[in-house]
Amino acid sequence: MKYNEDNIFEMYEHNIFETKNKLEELSFYCQKEIKFKGLTGWVFEQTIHKCISEELIKLNKKYIIDEQFKLSTLSKKNKSRGEVDLIIN
């Protein structure tokens, strides 16, 4: 297994940093800080999606990953740092 909790969250931190930097490159950007509802959840879910995809490809598994219900949030509820709602077919 290539990924664990620590390197997934490290990858997430890199991805959210990269996302915010790319958004700042937009010609109409004029805020002090990029922050809006759903951004962190979307980046977290995309990060998890990439990790799972790479693991399944490594196992030579055919799959389809679909998001289910809502985007994730990085909250401390239930003693977890985040949750992801995915269906793997």
Side-chain angles (χ1 to χ4, degrees):
M1 193 166 169
K2 180 177 178 180
Y3 298 105
N4 62 37
E5 180 182 5
D6 293 333
N7 58 22
I8 288 172
F9 276 95
E10 185 178 307
M11 183 185 298
Y12 161 77
E13 292 294 332
H14 170 78
N15 291 346
I16 194 71
F17 178 78
E18 182 181 12
T19 300
K20 288 179 178 183
N21 283 340
K22 292 293 183 183
L23 287 171
E24 288 176 359
E25 293 176 9
L26 295 171
S27 63
F28 57 87
Y29 174 76
C30 60
Q31 291 178 288
K32 292 181 181 177
E33 178 185 359
I34 293 178
K35 187 174 181 179
F36 53 87
K37 188 173 183 156
L39 178 65
T40 58
W42 180 80
V43 172
F44 185 71
E45 197 150 295
Q46 293 301 307
T47 301
I48 294 295
H49 189 136
K50 181 180 186 300
C51 295
I52 292 171
S53 296
E54 287 182 4
E55 292 291 339
L56 291 172
I57 288 168
K58 188 170 68 176
L59 295 171
N60 293 319
K61 302 287 183 182
K62 292 185 179 182
Y63 68 92
I64 297 172
I65 297 179
D66 296 312
E67 286 79 10
Q68 175 188 7
F69 303 117
K70 62 180 175 55
L71 292 176
S72 303
T73 58
L74 289 176
S75 67
K76 299 268 182 195
K77 68 180 182 180
N78 298 328
K79 297 182 181 179
S80 68
R81 294 195 288 181
E83 64 183 60
V84 178
D85 297 320
L86 299 175
I87 296 174
I88 302 174
N89 296 313

